[in-house]
Amino acid sequence: MARFDPYENNGGTCVAVAGDGYCVVAADTRLSVGYSILSRDQSKISELADKCVLASSGFQGDIKALQKNLAAKELVYEHNHNKKMSCPAMAQLLSNTLYYKRFFPYYTFNVLGGLDSQGKGCVFTYDAVGSYERTGYSAQGTGAKLIMPVLDNQLKSPSPLLLPAQDAVTPLSESDAVDLVKDVFASATERDIYTGDKLEIVVINSSGIHRECIELRKD
């Protein structure tokens, strides 16, 4: 007798790196089920608020539902307050939205990146039920276990337990951070069959949001 399973992990990897005055959010575009590739050009990145970008991996149906839900709530906020939602406010909204569905969760693994009210880069990383933390960098998805050790080695974020609290932004320049993201994805695609095809890179800085795409392994 077949057992009903509402979830499917469609794979993929998301990475975000925050710096002083910029944030880099990147994700691959492969959409898989098991050993089958359903799409080589499926974006995992969504622009949500003013200088705020969400990258999600996991179940594609839940990713789309979550993005649609957040976009609707952001629009209501914009009409009520006559301004765009800030990135830290969107981070709290995303946490509340995920926690509200904790008994039948969105099967999504999210990284939110953008600029805070001081213009500094910020990255928020989540589990499936809304527990989140502000960090200097993060990775989620099927390739995260391959990428995080490299980011830890290169960026060395201070412990959140240190007092007084240390600044979590990374010391790299914007161009160096983009190069690092390209390198870690090129590395992850060698070992993770669910990551590949193309890399979509979104850079958020004071001049706006800029996108770039590069090719990755297709096998």
Side-chain angles (χ1 to χ4, degrees), residues 6-7 59-67 101 105-108:
Y7 293 125
F59 176 41
Q60 189 66 23
D62 280 353
I63 290 171
K64 289 299 180 190
L66 178 62
Q67 289 174 351
K101 288 268 289 176
Y106 290 114
Y107 190 37
T108 61

Side-chain angles (χ1 to χ4, degrees), residues 85-160:
M85 193 178 286
S86 68
C87 193
M90 180 57 76
Q92 184 65 59
L93 175 62
L94 175 55
S95 175
N96 294 349
T97 303
L98 293 172
Y99 187 72
Y100 178 77
K101 288 268 289 176
R102 65 193 178 280
F103 298 116
F104 187 15
Y106 290 114
Y107 190 37
T108 61
F109 304 98
N110 304 286
V111 179
L112 188 76
L115 301 182
D116 64 14
S117 54
Q118 281 83 44
K120 282 187 178 178
C122 52
V123 170
F124 300 90
T125 185
Y126 294 79
D127 69 2
V129 290
S131 178
Y132 78 111
E133 177 187 13
R134 181 171 176 171
T135 61
Y137 58 90
S138 182
Q140 292 276 19
T142 52
K145 289 179 181 176
L146 300 170
I147 288 175
M148 277 306 287
V150 182
L151 295 180
D152 287 334
N153 176 261
Q154 294 295 308
L155 302 177
K156 296 181 177 66
S157 184
S159 168

